[in-house]
């Protein structure tokens, strides 16, 4: 497995790009560690596949270099890069047995029989395919076929990295969850460098140690699921991660308070100091989880109008309007009474973030 370095990589599908917007991938300068489980997460069109194809060698970047363990592979085609790829739809030999399919990538590379058998049995056991090893791939369900596809990617321990391009799209939701857990287990057991592309935050957050969030052709944050949830460094991360995403309120800072219209929200000393020094368009960000909903006024709470309440099973999402048409969503824990038309919301001071021109203000 390899450390992957993206050295000032950028890509445009236009022959003579003139400005930033002509680039599908803006400047990316990153190092991804050997043995890491990374998820590349972002909305459709943000450049995930472009980046994946640059790493696998299907695409040569317009600018910059790709290095595997320090070796420049930018000019190498996919077959010379030693990468395994798992695509959205299963790529299998239907007439071969499950064993044959799993063994194929190793046979192709001249591994000896005992080594092939050892590795195939190991991967089959992890993916619960041991009982189907002698069955023809054609006789299996779509889910099982995709499991074999995953297995074919995982079976090679000699690869620099394994790239997964939305591999669970065709999988039944229940099995999806199981397979995600399996992949995590595989990563822990086999210490592979895994790069997993998805637009689904749940997939990314449950699979990866590090999530790489992409937006409009750039990487806006790389972090653990907890870091992305607690400290979104870009407004897009706050909005994209979490269900629902972070609340954002345009504000000005006055002493130890944020003013949203004429509503005052108390800040802690550290946040107030950051706000006082900030320039640009300032917004207050807070996750629904860190808002307390009260039926009556409590200390440092603000009045809101309740618009709707959605029951999510073990909690409710209360959508409210605060002041001059600012939408504020709060998470109401199970067992707490639902407010009626009016409510009071208390902001958890230590979870208030300030953003200047979409970027988190921090020390
Ligand atoms: P999705 O999740 O929908 O696959 P993505 O995040 O993988 O999206 P890309 O497919 O990398 O995004 O696309 C990034 C941008 O580059 C988009 O604006 C897309 O229209 C453009 N693009 C992608 N492939 C090509 C191509 N072959 N020619 C021209 N433009 C392209």
């Amino acid at each position: 497995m390899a450390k992957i370095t993206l050295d000032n990589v950028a890509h445009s599908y236009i022959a003579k790009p003139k400005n930033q917007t002509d680039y599908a991938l803006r400047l990316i300068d990153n190092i991804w560690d050997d043995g890491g489980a990374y998820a590349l997460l972002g909305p459709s069109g943000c450049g995930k596949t472009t980046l994946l194809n640059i790493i696998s060698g299907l695409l040569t970047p317009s600018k910059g270099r790709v290095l595997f363990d320090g070796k420049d592979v930018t000019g190498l085609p996919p077959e010379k890069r030693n990468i395994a790829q798992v695509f959205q739809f299963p790529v299998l030999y239907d007439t071969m047995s499950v064993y044959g399919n799993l063994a194929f990538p190793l046979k192709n590379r001249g591994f000896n029989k005992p080594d092939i058998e050892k590795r195939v049995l190991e991967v089959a056991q992890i993916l619960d395919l041991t009982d189907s090893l002698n069955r023809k791939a054609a006789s299996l369900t779509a889910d099982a076929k995709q499991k074999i596809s995953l297995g074919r990617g995982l079976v090679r321990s000699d690869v620099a990295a394994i790239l997964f391009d939305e591999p669970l799209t065709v999988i039944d939701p229940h099995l999806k969850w199981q397979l995600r857990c399996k992949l995590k287990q595989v990563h822990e057991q086999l210490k592979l460098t895994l790069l997993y592309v998805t637009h689904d935050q749940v997939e990314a957050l449950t699979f990866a140690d590090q999530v790489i969030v992409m937006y409009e052709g750039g990487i806006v944050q790389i972090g653990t699921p907890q870091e992305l949830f607690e400290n979104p460094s870009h407004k897009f991360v706050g909005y994209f991660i979490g269900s629902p995403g972070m609340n954002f309120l345009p504000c000005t800072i006055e002493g130890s308070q944020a003013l949203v219209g004429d509503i005052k929200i108390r800040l802690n000393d550290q946040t107030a100091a950051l706000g006082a020094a900030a320039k640009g368009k300032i917004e207050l960000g807070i996750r629904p989880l860190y808002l307390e909903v009260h039926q009556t006024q409590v200390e440092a709470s603000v009045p809101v109008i309740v618009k709707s309440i959605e029951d999510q099973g073990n909690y409710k999402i209360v959508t409210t309007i605060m002041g001059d048409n600012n939408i504020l969503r709060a998470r109401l824990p199970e067992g707490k009474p639902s407010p009626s038309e009016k409510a009071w919301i208390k902001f958890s001071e230590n979870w208030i973030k300030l953003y200047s021109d979409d970027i988190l203000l921090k020390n």
Side-chain angles (χ1 to χ4, degrees):
M1 292 285 140
K3 174 175 91 175
I4 299 173
T5 306
L6 300 165
D7 173 20
N8 289 296
V9 167
H11 189 72
S12 175
Y13 289 99
I14 298 167
K16 286 186 182 149
K18 290 190 187 74
N19 43 42
Q20 276 271 74
T21 51
D22 290 341
Y23 282 86
L25 212 59
R26 300 182 191 176
L27 211 59
I28 298 211
D29 196 34
N30 262 147
I31 297 177
W32 299 342
D33 291 334
D34 183 5
Y38 292 93
L40 213 51
L41 174 70
S44 183
C46 71
K48 305 181 295 293
T49 304
T50 302
L51 185 53
L52 201 70
N53 289 345
I54 286 174
I55 294 169
S56 70
L58 288 170
L59 202 61
T60 308
S62 319
K63 291 184 186 168
R65 299 183 310 155
V66 180
L67 299 102
F68 289 171
D69 276 340
K71 180 175 167 255
D72 189 343
V73 297
T74 322
L76 294 184
E79 60 278 11
K80 298 256 171 73
R81 290 205 183 182
N82 214 11
I83 285 268
Q85 256 186 295
V86 180
F87 299 97
Q88 239 178 38
F89 298 100
V91 181
L92 292 181
Y93 298 104
D94 266 353
T95 52
M96 279 189 194
S97 66
V98 173
Y99 185 98
N101 268 287
L102 292 176
F104 192 80
L106 299 177
K107 259 193 192 156
N108 230 1
R109 289 191 145 64
F111 280 73
N112 66 38
K113 239 178 151 183
D115 284 348
I116 294 177
E117 185 168 334
K118 182 165 174 278
R119 186 69 174 183
V120 168
L121 293 182
E122 184 180 17
V123 169
Q125 199 242 333
I126 293 171
L127 291 173
D128 291 330
L129 286 170
T130 312
D131 293 342
S132 337
L133 281 173
N134 295 323
R135 289 181 64 186
K136 285 266 187 297
S139 68
L140 301 172
T141 60
D143 290 349
K145 284 184 181 173
Q146 187 61 332
K147 262 212 249 184
I148 303 168
S149 255
L150 291 175
R152 279 163 56 101
L154 298 168
V155 82
R156 286 177 55 198
S157 57
D158 63 326
V159 288
I162 306 176
L163 312 183
F164 299 90
D165 196 352
E166 309 245 5
L168 303 183
T169 312
V170 293
I171 306 279
D172 164 84
H174 174 64
L175 195 70
K176 234 181 202 181
W177 184 81
Q178 278 184 348
L179 281 182
R180 270 201 313 267
C181 298
K182 282 275 170 222
L183 277 179
K184 201 162 175 81
Q185 188 191 338
V186 167
H187 178 251
E188 276 153 21
Q189 268 176 265
L190 306 179
K191 303 283 173 234
L192 309 169
T193 306
L194 305 181
L195 185 58
Y196 187 106
V197 170
T198 179
H199 61 268
D200 179 337
Q201 57 159 312
V202 178
E203 256 176 45
L205 300 177
T206 47
F207 162 78
D209 303 332
Q210 293 280 313
V211 180
I212 301 158
V213 185
M214 290 188 71
Y215 175 60
E216 292 185 344
I219 293 176
V220 282
Q221 188 169 6
I222 301 182
T224 61
Q226 187 181 353
E227 282 161 358
L228 299 181
F229 187 82
E230 292 184 353
N231 273 311
S233 62
H234 188 282
K235 208 179 138 183
F236 174 75
V237 180
Y239 150 83
F240 197 64
I241 304 275
S243 180
M246 204 167 197
N247 295 290
F248 288 100
L249 304 166
C251 66
T252 53
I253 306 298
E254 234 180 68
S256 61
Q257 300 182 110
L259 292 186
V260 182
D262 54 6
I263 292 179
K264 296 178 175 132
I265 298 162
R266 202 164 69 192
L267 304 172
N268 68 20
D269 292 348
Q270 198 187 2
T271 313
L274 288 169
K279 301 206 164 45
K281 186 180 82 172
I282 310 293
E283 283 167 282
L284 179 156
I286 189 155
R287 295 241 176 239
L289 181 64
Y290 305 124
L291 294 172
E292 278 173 29
V293 183
H294 295 271
Q295 314 253 31
T296 51
Q297 186 169 14
V298 297
E299 202 231 332
S301 64
V302 301
V304 294
I305 305 292
V306 176
K307 292 306 273 184
S308 63
I309 300 176
E310 266 172 75
D311 201 333
Q312 303 280 338
N314 51 357
Y315 63 91
K316 289 181 184 141
I317 294 295
V318 185
T319 301
T320 69
I321 304 283
M322 188 189 98
D324 198 10
N325 245 352
N326 295 297
I327 291 180
L328 198 57
R329 292 196 170 86
R331 192 176 154 134
L332 193 65
E334 192 175 20
K336 282 256 180 179
S338 295
S340 45
E341 214 177 303
K342 286 184 184 166
W344 295 83
I345 289 199
K346 184 167 176 168
F347 289 62
S348 218
E349 258 173 48
N350 292 340
W351 288 105
I352 293 177
K353 308 283 168 189
L354 292 179
Y355 290 79
S356 159
D357 294 335
D358 299 344
I359 307 294
L360 176 69
L361 294 175
K362 53 187 173 194
N363 287 316

